Amino acid sequence: MQRSKNDVWVGIFVLIGALAILFLALQSANLLNLNFQPTYRINAKFDNVGGLKPKAAVRSAGVVVGRVERIVFDDKSFQAQVTLAMESRYVFPKDSSLKILTSGMLGEQYLGLEAGADEKVLVAGDTISSTQSAVVLENLIGQFLYSKTADSASANGSKAKK
C-alpha cells in the first residue's frame, strides 16, 4: 500500500515537471501568449519583413505593447501587410512609425513602435504608413563587398594612370 502511494506522488511530481518544461519551451519560442488584455487591430505595410513571424512582440521604449497577429502578401501593392494586435491600454498617435528590429546580432525579430506627435490617436482598423523594413544581413554584406571591390578597382585605375 505504501509503495503505490509513493508511486502516485512520484507520478504527480513528474507530470508537474513535464508541464513546467512544456510551458517554458512554449513561452521561450513565443508560441504561448498568456495576455488577457483587450486589444485593437492596426495594419502596416512593409517592403520586406525579413524573418518577422506572427506572435512577434511589438515594443515601444522596450515595453511589449502588442503582438504581430498576421502577415500576408498584398498582391496589389506587392508589399507584406502586417496586422498588429495592440493592447487597448496603450494608445499611440496616428503619425507613429514602425520598424523591424532584431534582438541582438542573430536574435528574433520584433517591431519597434516610435510614437509620433499627432493629437489624433490610432484606432482599430488604422494603417501605419511610416514603416522601415527589415535589414537583411546578406544585402549588407553584398553592399560592403561591392563597395570594397569598387574602391579597389578605382584605386588600381588611378595607379595605372600615373
Side-chain angles (χ1 to χ4, degrees):
M1 184 69 169
Q2 183 67 23
R3 181 172 164 85
S4 67
K5 197 178 216 182
N6 286 341
D7 288 346
V8 169
W9 282 111
V10 168
I12 290 172
F13 182 73
V14 168
L15 183 63
I16 290 172
L19 289 175
I21 289 173
L22 178 67
F23 174 78
L24 288 174
L26 291 174
Q27 201 60 3
S28 68
N30 234 358
L31 297 175
L32 181 65
N33 185 11
L34 296 177
N35 187 2
F36 302 108
Q37 296 288 330
T39 61
Y40 62 98
R41 278 147 192 71
I42 58 175
N43 298 306
K45 290 188 178 183
F46 291 91
D47 292 329
N48 186 351
V49 292
L52 188 70
K53 295 183 173 88
K55 300 199 179 190
V58 178
R59 297 175 191 237
S60 183
V63 177
V64 176
V65 295
R67 294 271 173 196
V68 173
E69 188 171 82
R70 184 172 76 123
I71 303 171
V72 295
F73 181 72
D74 182 9
D75 57 357
K76 291 181 177 73
S77 66
F78 299 105
Q79 291 180 311
Q81 182 170 341
V82 179
T83 303
L84 311 173
M86 304 294 292
E87 291 183 22
S88 296
R89 62 183 168 166
Y90 302 116
V91 291
F92 291 93
K94 277 195 182 271
D95 64 342
S96 298
S97 63
L98 275 172
K99 62 174 121 175
I100 300 175
L101 301 168
T102 305
S103 300
M105 282 296 284
L106 299 173
E108 66 176 332
Q109 290 189 321
Y110 66 95
L111 286 174
L113 179 62
E114 292 182 18
D118 199 348
E119 290 182 14
K120 296 179 183 176
V121 295
L122 290 168
V123 294
D126 280 350
T127 300
I128 296 179
S129 57
S130 176
T131 60
Q132 182 179 341
S133 294
V135 175
V136 181
L137 188 60
E138 291 84 6
N139 292 348
L140 285 177
I141 293 170
Q143 288 176 349
F144 176 75
L145 292 175
Y146 179 73
S147 68
K148 285 296 181 186
T149 56
D151 289 346
S152 65
S154 65
N156 287 340
S158 64
K159 285 181 184 176
K161 289 181 182 177
K162 288 182 181 179

